[in-house]
Amino acid sequence: MSRLTIDQMLENARADLRRLYVYDLPSALARGAILVDIRPAAQRVSEGSLPGALVIERNVLEWRLDPTSSARLALAADHDVEWIIFCSEGYTSSLAAASLQQLGLHRATDLIGGYQALKSAGLLTVAVGAPHFAREVKSLAAL
């Protein structure tokens, strides 16, 4: 059995991804892409949250987004959903997005630089107007 280094594994994961830069994110969200924060709770507390992003920790990501899973979210309607995964700096998210593509979620990708890039670019409110976020806010307001 051949072994890979983590750098090789990351390179392989990114080879099939059409990764997004932070400045590409607004147009992706406008067309209906869903932004997913996979950082663990402790990291979100220490770094900050991203309003409008769907929080799904890495350890349950595939179960929540696979449309054939009994544990899927309602947003995981089919294999054509555009999922944009982000972590703190854009490493774990590449591996996660590649895993989603292996499940047939062919539009899954990740955000180059992750949360840190969004923060540096001053785009921490970029997802607030996203269609999926607006639907969630509207449904919560109706309660």
Side-chain angles (χ1 to χ4, degrees), residues 32-108:
I34 301 173
L35 186 61
V36 180
D37 185 347
I38 62 167
R39 296 174 299 154
Q43 198 168 31
R44 292 191 311 274
V45 167
S46 69
E47 294 179 350
S49 63
L50 188 72
L54 180 63
V55 174
I56 306 173
E57 291 195 16
R58 176 67 189 99
N59 62 325
V60 295
L61 183 69
E62 290 84 354
W63 284 270
R64 299 296 183 256
L65 300 188
D66 180 355
T68 68
S69 170
S70 62
R72 74 175 175 86
L73 298 176
L75 289 170
D78 57 47
H79 288 86
D80 292 324
V81 175
E82 183 178 5
W83 301 105
I84 301 171
I85 311 302
F86 76 94
C87 61
S88 182
E89 295 181 353
Y91 296 97
T92 303
S93 58
S94 293
L95 299 173
S99 178
L100 293 175
Q101 285 199 353
Q102 289 178 332
L103 289 173
L105 300 168
H106 61 99
R107 297 179 72 199

Side-chain angles (χ1 to χ4, degrees), residues 16 23 28 31 48 62:
D16 293 327
Y23 294 109
R31 70 175 172 259
E62 290 84 354

